[in-house]
Amino acid sequence: MILRGRDGDVEVRDLFEGVDRVPRPGEAGGAWSYAGRQVSFDEASSLPAVMACIRLRAETAASLPVRLFEQDGDQLQAPVNYKDQAAMLSREPNSDMTAFHLWYHVFSSLDGWGGAYLLKAKAKGRVESLYPLDPSRVIPRVEDGELVFYVRNSANGGRQPHDPKGTRLTRSDILYIPGVLLNDPYIGVSPIAVHRHMLGNALAQQEYAGRYYANDGSPGGVISVQGQLTKEKRDEIKEAWEARHRSASASHRVAVLSGGAEFNTVGINLRDAQFIEGQLSSTQDVCRIFGVPVGLLDAHGFSVRTTPEEDMSRFALRLSPTLRRVESAIETDKDLFPDGSGSRFNDADPVVRFDTNHLVRADQAKRFAAYTAARQGGWMSANEIRAFENLPPVEGGDEVQATPVGGAPNPDPVTD
């Protein structure tokens, strides 16, 4: 059997045998699931758990301060030659948005589409601004060993996988940040496309619930009356009952029946109870896909025995590889950080870091105890501690304690 859909003809067996391939980022439509649903980003993001996970990861990552350093040997120092890049990455990537909005788009694109694309706006060969591109309009391809990008314009609605009107760009034009790399060493895959079968089941459950409430034929109760009733009499009894007991304001009123009539409620059946359990299981699976502890979603129905600190520690551990993907892509971009030879930049290597210190902060009592140990141990100054607490430096606060408590004096007191 052939089904005719808006994206072309599809054989029915393809819906259930899973022979379809995972679409690459930017390809239109989506991938068919075993549930018979085409799972795209737009479809999957309608699931509350999916949207909550993507938002939590993107908003958290975008909230982290972006630090830029210059590495000279084993030493990291404040940027001297890369001040413009530091301002671009941490404050204002372009004249239309803040760094938070840029990084929010980048991380949500990685989770939703498997890749993020930043257009380099140049002046005299130098990158002046970074602009995020809609990942649904970009198709990455490898041609003759080179990674290129076809950017579709918005006039055709992005329906054609390889739009002949699309613009062909290269790595010189686009800063590409791939997501999870599986079989292709260059092009990332979307978690939504990889887990399309599980998400298809969740979408089918969501659709079933909506249609259940919209077209439910199950009565809340049944009034049994002895003997045969005419249609007019049945309607009269039904209307009289609903007029007195229907709506929230009329609930729990006392009912009086006569003539041998009986009222029997219709409770939830085993199938409906299993449906509710299936929804809870889908939420857990979505959290596994995106590496988000269930407790951070405030999801009810789960017996979570972890503390908030433990949840945040696990969340930071799962988020760190994604942060490193972005950091390494920025550091190694030769247009953003040209080589020292033949340019006004020196040979110091750029180092980009998202500062996660505040993400994994302990509670106040544990934090202050650690500061005390570090201060008395002679390896942390008062101003370094104050910086962690967003406090201004104080005079004389750069000195490290020369004689640690319980130890021998430091041979060379360190001052900044």
Side-chain angles (χ1 to χ4, degrees):
M1 180 184 296
I2 301 294
L3 296 182
R4 187 172 300 278
R6 62 184 181 182
D7 296 321
D9 297 342
V10 179
E11 291 193 31
V12 172
R13 66 170 179 238
D14 290 346
L15 306 183
F16 303 100
E17 294 179 0
V19 298
D20 54 297
R21 69 177 182 84
V22 178
R24 287 188 171 183
E27 293 184 349
W32 287 99
S33 66
Y34 290 140
R37 294 293 301 267
Q38 194 174 20
V39 181
S40 64
F41 173 78
D42 292 337
E43 290 280 342
S45 60
S46 68
L47 294 171
V50 172
M51 191 61 186
C53 286
I54 292 178
R55 280 191 57 193
L56 178 62
R57 284 170 55 85
E59 290 176 344
T60 301
S63 301
L64 300 176
V66 181
R67 311 293 188 192
L68 179 59
F69 305 95
E70 290 182 8
Q71 183 169 6
D72 186 7
D74 295 332
Q75 300 295 322
L76 292 180
Q77 59 186 10
V80 176
N81 302 280
Y82 304 134
K83 290 184 178 180
D84 293 339
Q85 291 92 328
M88 186 192 313
L89 297 174
S90 62
R91 180 175 294 274
E92 190 177 6
N94 58 68
S95 59
D96 298 323
M97 63 177 56
T98 64
F100 177 89
H101 292 97
L102 176 80
W103 299 125
Y104 182 92
H105 188 276
V106 165
F107 287 100
S108 59
S109 297
L110 287 172
D111 285 345
W113 291 91
Y117 311 88
L118 299 178
L119 182 66
K120 307 172 188 176
K122 298 180 180 179
K124 298 181 180 180
R126 178 186 176 191
V127 179
E128 297 286 346
S129 302
L130 294 173
Y131 290 88
L133 295 179
D134 181 355
S136 66
R137 293 169 49 198
V138 183
I139 296 182
R141 299 177 64 185
V142 178
E143 296 181 351
D144 299 327
E146 180 185 5
L147 187 61
V148 298
F149 311 91
Y150 287 88
V151 182
R152 299 190 296 264
N153 55 46
S154 58
N156 70 340
R159 298 302 308 165
Q160 301 178 17
H162 301 289
D163 181 9
K165 298 181 181 179
T167 303
R168 183 181 185 273
L169 301 177
T170 65
R171 296 289 290 271
S172 178
D173 307 300
I174 288 181
L175 172 58
Y176 174 53
I177 305 172
V180 177
L181 298 174
L182 293 180
N183 57 323
D184 195 308
Y186 299 101
I187 301 174
V189 296
S190 166
I192 291 176
V194 172
H195 299 281
R196 61 196 182 278
H197 298 302
M198 175 266 144
L199 294 173
N201 293 339
L203 287 168
Q205 289 177 338
Q206 182 173 261
E207 181 181 6
Y208 174 85
R211 296 187 183 278
Y212 179 89
Y213 290 113
N215 305 310
D216 184 21
S218 301
V222 176
I223 298 177
S224 301
V225 180
Q226 296 179 354
Q228 296 293 329
L229 298 177
T230 63
K231 181 179 182 303
E232 291 76 12
K233 192 63 175 177
R234 291 198 303 270
D235 292 342
E236 179 183 350
I237 297 174
K238 175 177 173 292
E239 292 173 0
W241 178 272
E242 290 186 344
R244 181 171 179 80
H245 298 283
R246 193 172 185 176
S247 80
S249 61
S251 61
H252 303 294
R253 283 186 176 180
V254 177
V256 179
L257 301 176
S258 61
E262 297 180 356
F263 179 80
N264 299 304
T265 60
V266 177
I268 187 172
N269 56 38
L270 181 60
R271 179 181 177 182
D272 294 334
Q274 291 176 337
F275 171 77
I276 296 175
E277 292 178 0
Q279 287 184 311
L280 296 177
S281 177
S282 297
T283 301
Q284 287 180 316
D285 288 336
V286 170
C287 289
R288 294 188 185 101
I289 292 173
F290 292 100
V292 175
V294 179
L296 295 182
L297 295 190
D298 296 327
H300 300 288
F302 300 103
S303 56
V304 182
R305 299 181 179 179
T306 56
T307 64
E309 290 79 11
E310 291 173 336
D311 282 340
M312 286 304 300
S313 178
R314 293 169 55 204
F315 176 65
L317 182 64
R318 296 296 299 271
L319 186 62
S320 59
T322 306
L323 297 176
R324 189 59 195 143
R325 286 190 183 97
V326 179
E327 294 167 350
S328 59
I330 298 171
E331 293 170 350
T332 56
D333 188 85
K334 299 303 181 183
D335 295 303
L336 194 58
F337 299 102
D339 293 330
S341 57
S343 72
R344 68 186 185 87
F345 300 103
N346 65 3
D347 294 325
D349 294 328
V351 176
V352 178
R353 291 291 182 268
F354 286 87
D355 190 351
T356 60
N357 286 326
H358 293 280
L359 185 61
V360 293
R361 282 161 60 101
D363 58 53
Q364 189 178 59
K366 293 180 180 178
R367 203 164 66 248
F368 285 3
Y371 290 153
T372 301
R375 184 79 175 98
Q376 294 180 351
W379 56 270
M380 199 170 189
S381 68
N383 281 342
E384 288 175 330
I385 295 173
R386 293 178 64 85
F388 278 114
E389 295 297 319
N390 294 321
L391 296 173
V394 296
E395 185 178 355
D398 292 328
E399 295 184 3
V400 176
Q401 188 164 315
T403 305
V405 175
N410 290 331
D412 296 312
V414 180
T415 59
D416 293 333

